[in-house]
Amino acid sequence: PRAAEPVKDDTFRISLDPKPTDRLGLDVVGVGPSLRVKAITPGLVKAWNDRNPKQAVQVNDLIVAVNGVHGSDGPPGNMHLPLLRALQQKEPLEIVIAREEE
């Protein structure tokens, strides 16, 4: 995977290339049109974090797009479903992460 490239000030992009047996290593919950990271478990995201500490995915980060799919593409009440489906694909993933300012 190539290094992440900035998208907007409060967002960044990560690239993962899952194999059929790989685990993403993310526990997420739908929040409006996004997915909130609840936990990071062993898997591709943890490996990304180890290699890219300055752009590490953290608990409470928001996944706002996966391979060009946005949560706003989903049905009302379940807008995050397209993001979940996109994350489950065993193909190269471009994930846009937003970090809320505290």
Side-chain angles (χ1 to χ4, degrees), residues 13 64-73 82-83 86 92-96:
R13 185 183 309 265
V64 296
V66 179
N67 289 355
V69 174
H70 295 82
S72 55
D73 299 334
L83 291 176
L93 298 173
E94 290 280 332
I95 302 171
V96 178

Side-chain angles (χ1 to χ4, degrees), residues 1-71:
R2 56 192 176 281
E5 56 202 66
V7 182
K8 285 191 276 184
D9 289 346
D10 59 343
T11 64
F12 60 97
R13 185 183 309 265
I14 70 170
S15 300
L16 304 174
D17 191 6
K19 306 290 182 261
T21 56
D22 283 341
R23 294 179 54 86
L24 210 50
L26 276 180
D27 289 340
V28 296
V29 63
V31 177
S34 307
L35 294 172
R36 184 176 302 280
V37 176
K38 297 305 280 178
I40 297 169
T41 58
L44 292 174
V45 173
K46 184 170 183 336
W48 167 272
N49 286 353
D50 291 345
R51 289 191 315 273
N52 301 278
K54 292 185 182 200
Q55 291 184 303
V57 180
Q58 300 174 5
V59 170
N60 289 323
D61 281 352
L62 295 172
I63 296 172
V64 296
V66 179
N67 289 355
V69 174
H70 295 82

